[in-house]
């Protein structure tokens, strides 16, 4: 650290090979650890930094979401997630994330109407669905259809106009439940159901998923409320892999539809949004197996085995993920308030999850590495309980996270200092050498 009393907000870096030193500014965030501004490092010292997976690198500034991994806290625009799931709705949370403040009643009404009125897809888009194989994973359909939106909604492509940008963001939020529900309908050979203007965002999604020409779907308020909680909890999570993917893709000024499609692709991986599906598969495997829970824990600890406890551990949270706490509570609530929602099978899954959590949290391996249940550990049980099929879990995550993606995209595109993302590398390959003709190799 600098000893200069007038410049305490700096850090001094010395290259011990050359003896050259530089003083770099320290940025003070409103919350969280201080950050060294290393932008002049290469110019002044001829050095780059090495940080695989960006574990200690801030790639942008942001005013949207803050999380404290040590304390297990999450805030959207400063509001704690616990208060938002209790007091807010998904659509109000979407307004908050996108616009930066809690809406007045008239702002909320206007926003809700705008989102609802844009929920229809252009009819030709239906043909995209039928291009997929009948057993396609709904996430595969979603990546393709969202990417294709840029071919239909040209007037939203002026990313330099802030009004246009907000309209594109709202359009994506509006169309996502229709695309998500239709991915499921197509993959299950069911007719598409159109959105309705008299339903809330979440009710509309449930309606499009489950209504049948032969059997009208009546939205159960408890199910709708549970889905609201899941959606609010997944709406944003600062610079995670999929959000960083959206920022990176759009840093080249790629259109928002293509950039969000890239985010969906990144979310799909089992280390990220695909973990909720993987958790249920793991719990089902445990239930049908002769092997004990201990043997799964031992496998997860064995470095020669690639198996990990799904739904455990997090890059940032080194404490209980606050979203997991909320969803764990919701599982118990669903179980106690609705006899039918938590079926015998799902009750067994919940019991298995609770047992596994208890054993892992008491195990030295997990304690030492600060591995706690993350958001995905319990969210799958809730989704199964409210009738969402396994392969739709990550789709629902994507639908909720779209709000975060477009809010972060809008923030980045409005920032004059943002640049095309272009990380450096530490090259360890061959040094320069001459081409060898085929007969001399
Ligand atoms: N089971 C067993 N060991 C684990 C696990 C786990 N689930 N997670 C991390 N570890 C170990 C890991 O082997 C390593 O041990 P060691 O120091 O001896 O080499 C140590 O803990 C640190 O792990 P890491 O891989 O360096 O940590 P990371 O920050 O790179 O990875 C993670 C975070 C979420 C990818 C990882 O914990 C994981 O793979 N978890 C399971 C998948 C999962 O639940 N993903 C959902 C994430 S939350 C939803 C979201 O926001 O997307």
């Amino acid at each position: 650290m600098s000893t200069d009393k007038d410049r305490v907000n700096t850090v001094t870096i010395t290259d011990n090979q050359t003896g050259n030193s530089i003083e770099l500014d320290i940025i003070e965030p409103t919350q969280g650890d201080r950050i060294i501004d290393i932008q002049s490092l290469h110019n002044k010292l001829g050095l780059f930094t090495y940080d695989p997976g960006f574990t200690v690198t801030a790639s942008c500034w942001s005013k949207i979401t803050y999380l404290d991994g040590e304390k297990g806290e999450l805030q959207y625009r400063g509001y704690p997630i616990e208060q938002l799931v209790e007091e807010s709705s998904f659509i109000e949370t979407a307004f908050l994330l996108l616009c930066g403040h809690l809406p007045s009643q008239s702002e909320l009404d206007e926003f809700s109407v705008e989102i609802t009125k844009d929920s229809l897809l252009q009819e030709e888009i239906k043909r995209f669905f039928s291009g997929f194989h009948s057993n396609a994973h709904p996430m595969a359909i979603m990546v393709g259809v969202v990417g294709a939106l840029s071919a239909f909604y040209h007037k939203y492509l002026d990313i330099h106009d802030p009004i246009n940008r907000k309209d594109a963001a709202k359009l994506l939020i509006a169309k996502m439940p229709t695309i998500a529900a239709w991915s499921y309908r197509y993959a299950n050979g069911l007719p598409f159901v159109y959105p309705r203007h008299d339903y809330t965002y979440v009710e509309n999604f449930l309606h499009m998923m489950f209504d049948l020409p032969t059997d009208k779907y009546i939205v159960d308020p408890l199910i709708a409320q549970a889905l609201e909680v899941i959606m609010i909890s997944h709406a944003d999570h600062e610079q995670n892999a999929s959000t960083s993917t959206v920022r990176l893709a759009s840093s080249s000024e790629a259109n928002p539809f293509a950039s969000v499609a890239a985010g969906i692709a990144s979310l799909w991986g089992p280390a990220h949004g695909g973990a909720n599906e993987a958790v249920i598969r793991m719990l089902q495997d445990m239930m049908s197996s002769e092997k004990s829970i201990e043997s799964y824990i031992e496998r997860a600890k064995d470095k020669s085995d690639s198996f990990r406890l799904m739904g455990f551990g997090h890059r940032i949270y080194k404490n209980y993920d606050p979203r997991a706490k909320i969803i764990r509570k919701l599982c118990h609530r669903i179980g106690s308030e609705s006899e039918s929602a938590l079926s015998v099978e799902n009750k067994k899954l919940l019991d298995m999850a609770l047992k596994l959590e208890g054993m892992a949290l008491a195990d030295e391996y997990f304690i030492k590495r600060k591995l706690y249940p993350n958001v995905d550990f319990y969210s799958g049980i809730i989704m199964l309980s409210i009738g969402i099929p396994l392969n739709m879990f990550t789709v629902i995550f994507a639908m909720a996270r779209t709000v975060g993606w477009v809010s972060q995209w809008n923030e980045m595109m409005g920032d004059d200092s943002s640049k095309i993302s272009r990380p450096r590398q530490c090259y360890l390959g061959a040094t320069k050498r001459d081409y060898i003709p085929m007969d001399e190799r």
Side-chain angles (χ1 to χ4, degrees):
M1 287 289 295
S2 167
T3 51
D4 182 341
K5 285 203 180 87
D6 297 329
R7 292 200 67 200
V8 283
N9 282 347
T10 62
V11 66
T12 301
I13 295 184
T14 305
D15 178 343
N16 293 327
Q17 200 173 15
T18 62
N20 294 338
S21 275
I22 54 159
E23 201 170 310
L24 296 171
D25 286 340
I26 292 181
I27 304 167
E28 296 282 347
T30 53
Q31 299 191 73
D33 294 335
R34 296 175 308 147
I35 291 163
I36 306 171
D37 180 347
I38 57 160
Q39 289 180 88
S40 61
L41 183 69
H42 186 253
N43 272 351
K44 293 187 177 158
L45 277 190
L47 292 171
F48 290 128
T49 54
Y50 178 61
D51 178 23
F54 308 121
T55 55
V56 289
T57 298
S59 60
C60 61
W61 61 259
S62 182
K63 296 180 178 175
I64 301 174
T65 292
Y66 174 71
L67 64 102
D68 184 325
E70 292 299 325
K71 291 190 191 145
E73 287 178 359
L74 170 63
Q75 301 160 12
Y76 295 162
R77 302 280 188 184
Y79 297 102
I81 188 71
E82 294 80 4
Q83 291 180 22
L84 291 169
V85 295
E86 281 296 323
E87 311 280 345
S88 187
S89 63
F90 178 70
I91 207 70
E92 186 187 56
T93 302
F95 182 99
L96 171 70
L97 285 165
L98 183 62
C99 304
H101 63 275
L102 285 171
S104 66
Q105 189 61 55
S106 61
E107 284 177 319
L108 181 60
D109 293 345
E110 194 186 325
F111 186 71
S112 306
V113 168
E114 281 179 308
I115 297 292
T116 314
K117 114 178 140 23
D118 266 336
S119 52
L120 268 177
L121 291 173
Q122 278 199 15
E123 272 300 287
E124 304 105 291
I125 296 179
K126 265 175 150 180
R127 291 210 295 270
F128 273 81
F129 289 85
S130 50
F132 285 92
H133 198 273
S134 57
N135 66 359
H137 194 290
M139 279 299 277
I141 302 180
M142 204 180 198
V143 174
V145 174
V146 171
L149 293 181
S150 51
F152 290 88
Y153 299 100
H154 299 121
K155 76 174 182 149
Y156 297 93
L157 299 182
D158 181 2
I159 52 174
H160 297 292
D161 174 358
I163 297 174
N164 224 321
R165 239 180 8 244
K166 271 255 175 79
D167 287 345
K170 285 187 265 187
L171 189 94
L172 267 157
I173 297 171
K175 303 228 179 290
M176 214 49 94
T178 316
I179 296 172
W182 285 15
S183 305
Y184 167 76
R185 302 292 290 207
Y186 178 74
N188 287 278
L190 294 166
F192 294 142
V193 175
Y194 289 94
R196 273 176 41 172
H197 284 184
D198 54 336
Y199 278 147
T200 66
Y201 191 85
V202 164
E203 288 169 349
N204 223 344
F205 170 70
L206 289 168
H207 159 72
M208 289 187 279
M209 276 281 292
F210 298 120
D211 196 58
L212 291 173
T214 49
D215 200 0
K216 192 170 162 41
Y217 177 76
I218 314 269
V219 179
D220 176 338
L222 181 65
I223 288 181
Q225 210 196 340
L227 194 54
E228 289 269 348
V229 171
I230 297 273
M231 299 270 293
I232 295 172
S233 311
H234 285 80
D236 195 40
H237 212 232
E238 54 120 301
Q239 309 313 319
N240 56 85
S242 57
T243 303
S244 297
T245 300
V246 170
R247 280 188 179 257
L248 199 127
S250 54
S251 75
S252 69
E253 305 197 355
N255 73 69
F257 306 106
S259 303
V260 167
I264 297 172
S266 164
L267 185 77
W268 195 1
H272 191 9
N276 47 23
E277 197 177 325
V279 169
I280 297 296
R281 292 194 196 285
M282 176 185 77
L283 293 174
Q284 285 171 338
D285 188 56
M286 284 178 174
M287 276 178 22
S288 62
S289 158
E290 305 274 281
K291 294 186 200 127
S292 62
I293 302 183
E294 285 89 342
S295 69
Y296 283 86
I297 293 183
E298 287 312 312
R299 260 190 82 192
K301 289 155 55 174
D302 180 357
K303 298 290 171 204
S304 64
D305 189 329
S306 62
F307 174 77
R308 283 185 166 195
L309 273 198
M310 297 315 288
F312 255 80
H314 197 274
R315 168 60 59 79
I316 311 286
Y317 292 122
K318 300 302 165 200
N319 200 326
Y320 215 107
D321 181 336
R323 305 166 300 169
K325 258 189 212 159
I326 290 166
I327 294 170
R328 185 185 200 265
K329 208 165 113 195
L330 186 64
C331 280
H332 288 296
R333 201 183 131 205
I334 291 261
S336 63
E337 282 184 28
S338 167
E339 279 295 305
S340 56
L342 218 52
S343 65
V344 177
E345 197 61 17
N346 294 337
K347 175 91 184 49
K348 278 193 201 154
L349 279 181
L350 178 59
D351 289 344
M352 177 67 81
L354 290 168
K355 222 183 269 175
L356 177 61
E357 177 195 328
M359 288 171 73
L361 291 184
D363 191 293
E364 193 47 39
Y365 173 95
F366 290 85
I367 296 171
K368 195 169 144 221
R369 289 166 182 78
K370 298 186 177 171
L371 300 170
Y372 290 85
N374 59 50
V375 68
D376 290 319
F377 195 66
Y378 289 107
S379 64
I381 297 175
I382 289 284
M383 287 199 266
L384 276 188
S385 307
I386 63 178
I388 307 286
L390 202 52
N391 64 3
M392 281 296 287
F393 289 5
T394 316
V395 171
I396 289 184
F397 193 157
M399 184 168 77
R401 185 55 59 84
T402 296
V403 167
W405 292 330
V406 295
S407 303
Q408 302 263 354
W409 165 76
N410 184 46
E411 179 179 74
M412 179 182 130
M413 296 315 294
D415 170 16
D416 292 339
S417 67
S418 64
K419 298 178 171 154
I420 186 167
S421 296
R422 178 51 175 96
R424 294 290 181 159
Q425 64 170 3
C426 171
Y427 177 70
L428 296 175
T431 52
K432 191 174 175 187
R433 50 187 169 166
D434 289 325
Y435 179 79
I436 307 164
M438 185 63 79
D439 57 357
E440 290 175 25
R441 283 176 219 167

